[in-house]
Amino acid sequence: MKAEAQALKGHLEVLLLAALEDGPRHGYAVKEALRDGSGGRFDLPTGTIYPALHRLEEAGLITGSWSTVDGRRRRTYHLTAQGLRRLHADRSNWHGFAAAVTALLERKPWPATT
Amino acid sequence: MKAEAQALKGHLEVLLLAALEDGPRHGYAVKEALRDGSGGRFDLPTGTIYPALHRLEEAGLITGSWSTVDGRRRRTYHLTAQGLRRLHADRSNWHGFAAAVTALLERKPWPATT
DNA sequence: CGGCGATAGATAGGAAACATAGCTATAGAC
DNA sequence: GTCTATAGCTATGTTTCCTATCTATCGCCG
């Protein structure tokens, strides 16, 4: 349950959306998918996951519905059309962001000092 | 002076350190280097840059010294040995982070739902 | 039976970092 | 004389994530 990353700041939501892209999942399953899909790197506490899902739902990017499986309540989320559009936009934005950071980190020499 | 990215959260410091890697710079020059080196993507306000540099200095990762050029005060920063080590560590960490996020964003199908 | 770990959900409170907005000051252009 | 670019600073606000704690069920182990 240790979180390697406050570095996720600002990039968590796109990961949650991506986790819901190929089908609905309940919150706990999203948490596991993130952990397993990242080789354990993004093993986020539920105190991070659930509020983030609530934000996404409130923003209309996902919708949730309750069900009960084996006596346990589940809230299963799926992407809305708006959420899908946002995922596409954010994914493309991520690539631009990552490319820019990587370029700056590799850069030598940097633009000249005034 | 508009900042495209709150997404920088957690990744600004490594960029500042990288900007100082091939020689000392003053704060305003760091800001310009970041803007120009990213094609305008990271055009950060001074209210972001200066406090970040102060944090780095207080952490012992950079040191600054005052000078006066053309009647304007400048504080020129350079990397400490500790800052250089941190840069190396953070840079390598960035590559891992970026690879993990990218992999998750491309991933389909995701690890199975329980 | 009793306790514990995994599953499933939630919230309250705090900390960190970036943005907004405002301030001082000089040099040079218009 | 005013405006822009250069050069620096900080107080306040917001967002976002983490820590800690809580409820509850199920299955396993002793």
Side-chain angles (χ1 to χ4, degrees):
Chain A
M1 202 67 91
K2 68 111 201 302
E4 98 116 58
Q6 68 286 53
L8 264 191
K9 292 249 175 140
H11 305 290
L12 174 61
E13 298 194 353
V14 66
L15 292 180
L16 297 179
L17 293 175
L20 295 174
E21 191 182 18
D22 63 279
R25 268 169 211 274
H26 57 101
Y28 198 83
V30 168
K31 170 182 148 51
E32 286 185 309
L34 235 51
R35 183 195 58 207
D36 297 343
S38 67
R41 186 171 188 121
F42 301 140
D43 189 6
L44 308 174
T46 64
T48 295
I49 299 284
Y50 291 122
L53 288 171
H54 297 336
R55 287 198 300 272
L56 291 175
E57 189 172 21
E58 201 177 356
L61 302 177
I62 64 179
T63 56
S65 56
W66 286 105
S67 61
T68 300
V69 177
D70 292 329
R72 291 191 194 92
R73 326 180 295 149
R74 283 183 174 175
R75 188 154 181 86
T76 301
Y77 294 100
H78 64 90
L79 277 184
T80 63
Q82 200 192 338
L84 187 58
R85 283 196 300 274
R86 175 67 138 276
L87 172 58
H88 292 330
D90 284 0
R91 179 183 275 141
S92 134
N93 190 63
W94 160 259
H95 289 308
F97 172 79
V101 173
T102 298
L104 285 173
L105 290 185
E106 305 304 344
R107 184 161 207 125
K108 207 181 313 179
W110 281 59
T113 306
T114 316
Chain B
M1 204 64 95
K2 68 107 200 302
E4 100 116 60
Q6 70 287 48
L8 263 190
K9 292 247 174 144
H11 306 290
L12 174 61
E13 298 194 353
V14 66
L15 292 180
L16 297 179
L17 293 175
L20 295 174
E21 192 182 19
D22 63 278
R25 270 170 210 274
H26 57 101
Y28 198 83
V30 168
K31 170 181 149 48
E32 287 185 309
L34 237 49
R35 183 194 59 206
D36 297 342
S38 67
R41 186 172 190 121
F42 301 140
D43 189 6
L44 308 173
T46 64
T48 295
I49 299 284
Y50 291 121
L53 287 170
H54 297 337
R55 286 197 301 273
L56 291 175
E57 187 173 22
E58 200 176 359
L61 303 176
I62 63 179
T63 55
S65 56
W66 287 106
S67 60
T68 300
V69 177
D70 291 329
R72 290 192 195 91
R73 331 180 288 151
R74 282 183 175 175
R75 188 153 181 86
T76 300
Y77 295 99
H78 64 90
L79 278 183
T80 63
Q82 199 191 337
L84 186 59
R85 284 196 300 275
R86 175 67 136 277
L87 171 58
H88 291 330
D90 284 359
R91 179 182 275 142
S92 133
N93 190 63
W94 159 259
H95 289 308
F97 173 79
V101 172
T102 298
L104 285 174
L105 290 186
E106 305 303 344
R107 184 163 207 124
K108 208 181 307 181
W110 280 59
T113 306
T114 316

